[in-house]
Amino acid sequence: MPAVRGRRRRVARQVLVGSVPVGGDAAVSVQSMTVTRTADVEATLRQIAELTAAGCEIVRVAVPTQDDADALAVIARKSPIPVVADIHFQPRYVFAAIEAGCAAVRVNPGNIKKFDDRVGEIARVAAEHRVPIRIGVNAGSLDQRLLGKYGKATPEALVESALWECSLFEEHGFRDIKISVKHHDPQVMVAAYRLLAARCDYPLHLGVTEAGPLLQGTVKSAVAFGLLLAEGIGDTIRVSLSAPPVEEVKVGIGILESLGLRRRRLEIVSCPSCGRAQVDVFTLTERVSAALEGFPHPLRVAVMGCVVNGPGEAREADLGVASGNGKGQIFVRGEVVKTVPESRIVETLVEEAMRIAAESQGGDDAEPGQ
């Protein structure tokens, strides 16, 4: 798959996380992580189902206890998407996750006790089961040796940690690896991934760790991912938010769609409103968005509130409305199809959206949203 228009994508080796290829020419995939106790199998599977419905392609579950490790086999078997086990502190859970049928295992070289002594054994078992390993370095849990050397979690420190751990696996002929080097500061994170991309050909899992609440985390992730993906760096992403995990998936998909790395679904083009607006654009846009939420086909909808930019934007969209003087002109693929009272704008847009979808399913060559 190409990178952002005009940029070549970094060439990375490819690994298979269950049925999902990561790296190579595969599309950039979207990940998230459950927030349930993994030992609560029913709740965890329910959340995985919600994430899958939102578009998540790979899901990670935490394994801090033996009870969590014991639950992995059922979760991995019943999950509709590949399950990655997130392992910290205890190497024995790595073996448990592999034996349970997890699609991949994430290990943190900063806090796996006696991990280095067991790399050969882990490499052998992972290779036998064809399970890739993600070496996940985080600024907040960097090895003390590297903190002493660099003073803090610099890009160089993050990269050195990741490549050192990779070298231990490479000594045993294991290269089914993907890497992340996460930091809460987007500038440090971007610098680390650029450095890492230049020094290895492993697929890269992008993430701004501890990015914060929904708005702040979305901004940080969009900035960092946008810069890197525009340079062709990044093979899978996880937006880390202090918010329900479904929101992480929505933001991740939105970032990829905005960069042209994923086929657009529903896109609302709406004006910010101003003194020229003759309709409450904020409320109208919210009502249109709510009415079309979950629309299953690519569709660009323009919701405009004045005669300056309204008709032009509405004409460029698949479907649009230019509002004013208590009524709205409804545009479909550049043509005015009807004028309706303001009270009927939302229901008319929904009707026309459904008609466009039906025509597209019937073999219309003009694909919405493209």
Side-chain angles (χ1 to χ4, degrees), residues 153-160 181-183 185-199 204 206-208 223-225 227-228 231 233:
T154 64
E156 294 78 11
L158 296 172
V159 171
E160 182 173 329
V181 283
K182 298 186 180 182
H183 198 285
D185 184 330
Q187 296 181 75
V188 176
M189 175 268 200
V190 168
Y193 277 99
R194 283 173 173 161
L195 181 60
L196 183 62
R199 294 185 58 184
L204 303 182
L206 301 187
V208 178
V223 168
F225 293 3
L227 286 168
L228 291 168
E231 296 172 12
I233 298 172

Side-chain angles (χ1 to χ4, degrees), residues 85-105:
D86 191 68
I87 311 295
H88 299 264
F89 301 111
Q90 296 296 342
R92 71 177 185 270
Y93 296 151
V94 176
F95 298 103
I98 294 172
E99 296 291 344
C102 289
V105 174

Side-chain angles (χ1 to χ4, degrees), residues 31-254:
Q31 305 194 23
S32 186
M33 188 172 182
T34 57
V35 297
T36 57
R37 280 193 66 242
T38 303
D40 187 340
V41 173
E42 183 178 343
T44 300
L45 286 172
R46 184 165 55 246
Q47 189 161 88
I48 291 174
E50 293 169 355
L51 289 167
T52 304
C56 186
E57 292 153 309
I58 299 171
V59 65
R60 185 156 43 108
V61 299
V63 190
T65 71
Q66 186 62 52
D67 287 343
D68 298 315
D70 293 340
L72 290 175
V74 175
I75 293 170
R77 184 174 71 252
K78 292 188 175 182
S79 173
I81 56 177
V83 174
V84 178
D86 191 68
I87 311 295
H88 299 264
F89 301 111
Q90 296 296 342
R92 71 177 185 270
Y93 296 151
V94 176
F95 298 103
I98 294 172
E99 296 291 344
C102 289
V105 174
R106 179 274 175 107
V107 297
N108 185 334
N111 60 23
I112 287 281
K113 294 179 181 177
K114 299 180 181 178
F115 178 81
D116 291 352
D117 295 340
R118 305 191 69 180
V119 166
E121 188 181 358
I122 291 172
R124 177 182 58 78
V125 175
E128 289 174 355
H129 290 76
R130 297 184 179 179
V131 173
I133 301 290
R134 171 158 77 93
I135 295 174
V137 180
N138 267 21
S141 54
L142 195 63
D143 185 274
Q144 290 299 315
R145 177 183 63 84
L146 291 170
L147 286 176
K149 178 179 178 179
Y150 290 96
K152 59 181 180 179
T154 64
E156 294 78 11
L158 296 172
V159 171
E160 182 173 329
S161 175
L163 294 181
W164 166 255
E165 210 64 47
C166 284
S167 72
L168 299 180
F169 279 96
E170 290 165 353
E171 288 177 2
H172 299 280
F174 188 87
R175 290 180 171 79
D176 206 3
I177 295 169
K178 54 193 179 89
I179 307 176
S180 62
V181 283
K182 298 186 180 182
H183 198 285
H184 68 271
D185 184 330
Q187 296 181 75
V188 176
M189 175 268 200
V190 168
Y193 277 99
R194 283 173 173 161
L195 181 60
L196 183 62
R199 294 185 58 184
C200 74
D201 67 348
Y202 290 115
L204 303 182
H205 168 122
L206 301 187
V208 178
T209 192
E210 290 96 31
L214 182 59
L215 177 59
Q216 177 180 294
T218 295
V219 171
K220 283 185 174 182
S221 298
V223 168
F225 293 3
L227 286 168
L228 291 168
L229 292 168
E231 296 172 12
I233 298 172
D235 302 287
T236 185
I237 64 173
R238 188 249 172 136
V239 177
S240 299
L241 301 175
S242 300
V246 164
E247 298 301 322
E248 298 184 349
V249 176
K250 291 178 181 178
V251 172
I253 290 174

Side-chain angles (χ1 to χ4, degrees), residues 284 288 301-305 310 314 319-323 327-331 340 345 349:
L284 180 59
V288 172
V301 181
V303 181
M304 306 302 294
L319 173 64
V321 59
S323 308
K327 56 189 177 182
Q329 282 189 316
I330 307 297
F331 290 75
V340 299
I345 287 175
L349 288 175

